[in-house]
Amino acid sequence: MIPMERTIFFNLRIIDGSGAPAVENGALVLRHDLQDVGKDKIEFVGPMQDFSLESYSDSTNNVLDLEGYSVLPGLFNVHAHLDLELPYLPYFVDKFGDSYRALVGYRRAAEALNCGVTTIRNVGGAGDFDIALRKAVNKNLLWAPRIVACGSPIAPHAGHGSTVPGTVLCSGTAEFLKAVRNNIEHDVDQIKLLYTGGLAGATENLNDMQITEEELSAAIEAAHGAHRKVAAHLSYDEAIRISVKHGIDSVEHAYSMTQDTARMMKESGTYLVPTLCVSNCGEILKAHGAMPNTLAKLEESRKTHLRSIQNAVEAGVKICVGTDLLPSDFIQGTNATIREVELLVEAGLSPLEAIRAATANSAELCNLQNVTGTLKAGMEGDIILVEGKPDRNIADLRNIRLVARGCRLVWSKLPCMEKRRFQILPPGCEMEGGSYIIW
């Protein structure tokens, strides 16, 4: 007999991540295999009328009545840079180095896990640190969110990101092909391209077209030939249209996008990662000493960015959650990941749709839809428990009271199940948000 324990939550609301209405009175059973952590699964999830609590009366089971709470899948953040350094500099400097960068990346991943982010897509990082982190997490050497690694970002010479450590700079189709294939050889999960100007650069124009159509097409074809999705930094409408035409998998940012282009994305099945936090992060950039012209450009872009994402919502584009800030960064009273979900509601998604963006949609983008992102029997049990009803009032998402990753408890503030936060720090130190720490 394989040793087994279970954690049983009952009388709670179930928001399964699929976009379906919440089950108002349900049960969730997490099965723990005491010999093999990798076999921990969701054993049951559904309404109480389909559940028999009496059949789980074994003394090894932990049974919790959670009336007043909602359970959701663990959150995704699919546009993060765990080696982020602010402010964005117009010249090259590497403050970390590859070895220290891996440690900083792990610390920041642990912060994200504490915030309820159980999966991160790291869209570009120097020295392949995210690939190393993914391997360590997958082999249970470290505990952190699931990592989807893009390795080194690929950009044109003198383009957006060209001063960021680790960016591979290319000119011409041959160099873009080589960069994509090198990343594939390093075993990246996805490819990250930088196509247009960005908000963070003080002297950049958002409408700069920095990659030729031929270079773009070659990079996408090479990636798709190796079954890798391609994410592209895309600031404005024309570049988005060209990218969608050539089969880009996810559009990142979309600071300026028309209704016609949004409909084109919908028809092509292209994912959108709006990163609304970027045009709302003036307080963070100011605290990090950003130049006044950068802050002014940020302020000018906010309304246009919101309107662009509203166009996408109205067109029915499949939207995911990513921040471009660290998942745990403090912004407007909460962490960046939760604030991004709230901003999607401001852009027109219902709270239930915004939760789906942060769970099921993002899982599909990361090819993890059979692992996590929804609550179904057989899934690996990434969950958060929230006090309240975030599918009706998205602000309730700030009231996380428990985080579990792979059915294993990260932390809990439930009155019936208190456990301090997962710590990688010395006694007496607290896990704090992100880019404000001087590394």
Side-chain angles (χ1 to χ4, degrees):
M1 180 73 69
I2 297 174
M4 193 82 65
E5 289 182 354
R6 293 174 178 84
T7 300
I8 301 162
F9 305 112
F10 70 101
N11 286 344
L12 80 170
R13 302 177 73 251
I14 298 170
I15 304 168
D16 69 6
S18 71
V23 174
E24 291 298 332
N25 187 24
L28 173 71
V29 179
L30 305 180
R31 186 189 68 207
H32 311 295
D33 187 311
L34 301 184
Q35 291 184 341
D36 187 347
V37 172
K39 292 183 178 178
D40 291 358
K41 303 289 182 184
I42 296 175
E43 186 170 275
F44 174 87
V45 58
M48 284 296 294
Q49 61 260 34
D50 297 337
F51 177 71
S52 171
L53 187 58
E54 291 75 18
S55 63
Y56 291 98
S57 59
D58 191 293
S59 61
T60 62
N61 295 330
N62 190 15
V63 182
L64 303 170
D65 186 338
L66 292 181
E67 186 176 359
Y69 293 88
S70 299
V71 63
L72 293 74
L75 303 177
F76 278 68
N77 191 316
V78 299
H79 192 118
H81 300 275
L82 292 174
D83 60 343
L84 177 70
E85 268 289 286
L86 294 174
Y88 190 86
L89 299 173
Y91 52 85
F92 179 90
V93 60
D94 186 354
K95 296 182 180 180
F96 292 153
D98 289 346
S99 300
Y100 187 52
R101 178 176 289 106
L103 298 175
V104 172
Y106 175 52
R107 161 62 188 266
R108 289 167 163 182
E111 291 176 11
L113 187 60
N114 273 328
C115 293
V117 177
T118 55
T119 306
I120 294 171
R121 184 179 66 159
N122 195 69
V123 283
D128 290 343
F129 83 91
D130 55 349
I131 299 172
L133 179 57
R134 180 199 65 200
K135 288 180 179 178
V137 171
N138 288 350
K139 290 179 180 292
N140 290 319
L141 299 177
L142 298 173
W143 206 27
R146 303 174 197 278
I147 302 294
V148 177
C150 295
S152 298
I154 300 170
H157 286 95
H160 183 70
S162 60
T163 61
V164 176
T167 302
V168 177
L169 302 180
C170 305
S171 291
T173 57
E175 291 189 3
F176 276 92
L177 280 171
K178 183 177 180 180
V180 169
R181 288 169 176 161
N182 278 341
N183 273 8
I184 292 167
E185 184 179 17
H186 292 175
D187 197 26
V188 297
D189 296 301
Q190 298 190 10
I191 298 293
K192 171 67 182 299
L193 294 178
L194 296 146
Y195 190 173
T196 65
L199 274 180
T203 60
E204 287 185 69
N205 189 324
L206 290 179
N207 296 341
D208 287 348
M209 188 86 77
Q210 298 176 343
I211 296 178
T212 69
E213 196 165 345
E214 292 76 16
E215 291 168 334
L216 173 74
S217 179
I220 292 174
E221 184 177 3
H224 285 178
H227 308 290
R228 262 67 167 194
K229 289 178 178 174
V230 183
H233 168 105
L234 288 159
S235 296
Y236 79 108
D237 191 71
E238 183 182 357
I240 296 170
R241 291 182 68 85
I242 292 171
S243 297
V244 172
K245 181 180 74 172
H246 285 283
I248 203 76
D249 296 286
S250 69
V251 169
E252 314 292 312
H253 310 305
Y255 300 127
S256 175
M257 181 172 64
T258 64
Q259 292 175 325
D260 285 344
T261 300
R263 286 192 285 267
M264 183 180 177
M265 285 187 66
K266 164 65 175 176
E267 291 168 4
S268 299
T270 311
Y271 293 87
L272 173 63
V273 186
T275 67
L276 283 162
C277 277
V278 175
S279 54
N280 285 269
C281 73
E283 64 182 90
I284 292 179
L285 292 187
K286 187 175 182 180
H288 285 86
M291 299 294 288
N293 50 352
T294 297
L295 296 173
K297 185 165 68 168
L298 203 71
E299 184 64 30
E300 290 171 6
S301 72
R302 187 177 296 116
K303 288 184 179 179
T304 303
H305 193 190
L306 180 62
R307 181 63 249 175
S308 297
I309 307 312
Q310 288 171 338
N311 288 340
V313 170
E314 291 165 6
V317 174
K318 192 167 285 189
I319 293 174
C320 303
V321 166
T323 57
D324 211 10
L325 304 173
L326 296 180
S328 58
D329 261 344
F330 302 133
I331 176 172
Q332 298 173 353
T334 187
N335 66 67
T337 308
I338 289 176
R339 185 62 187 135
E340 183 72 20
V341 180
E342 294 174 343
L343 289 168
L344 290 176
V345 174
E346 293 180 21
L349 290 181
S350 70
L352 198 58
E353 290 168 334
I355 291 168
R356 177 170 180 165
T359 54
N361 287 0
S362 292
E364 289 177 12
L365 175 59
C366 294
N367 297 323
L368 290 172
Q369 64 271 25
N370 295 323
V371 176
T372 186
T374 52
L375 300 179
K376 294 188 292 188
M379 300 288 267
E380 293 196 7
D382 299 348
I383 67 167
I384 58 174
L385 280 172
V386 173
E387 190 171 2
K389 300 178 179 180
D391 54 322
R392 299 182 186 178
N393 176 20
I394 200 62
D396 284 352
L397 195 57
R398 298 187 179 201
N399 304 328
I400 296 178
R401 299 294 181 257
L402 178 148
V403 177
R405 152 79 157 86
C407 294
R408 299 283 168 151
L409 188 62
V410 178
W411 62 268
S412 172
K413 288 186 176 179
L414 296 176
C416 52
M417 187 190 215
E418 292 232 9
K419 178 189 174 183
R420 68 171 298 169
R421 291 175 182 269
F422 160 59
Q423 287 280 9
I424 60 169
L425 304 180
C429 295
E430 288 298 323
M431 191 84 72
E432 297 201 4
S435 62
Y436 289 95
I437 297 172
I438 298 173
W439 299 100

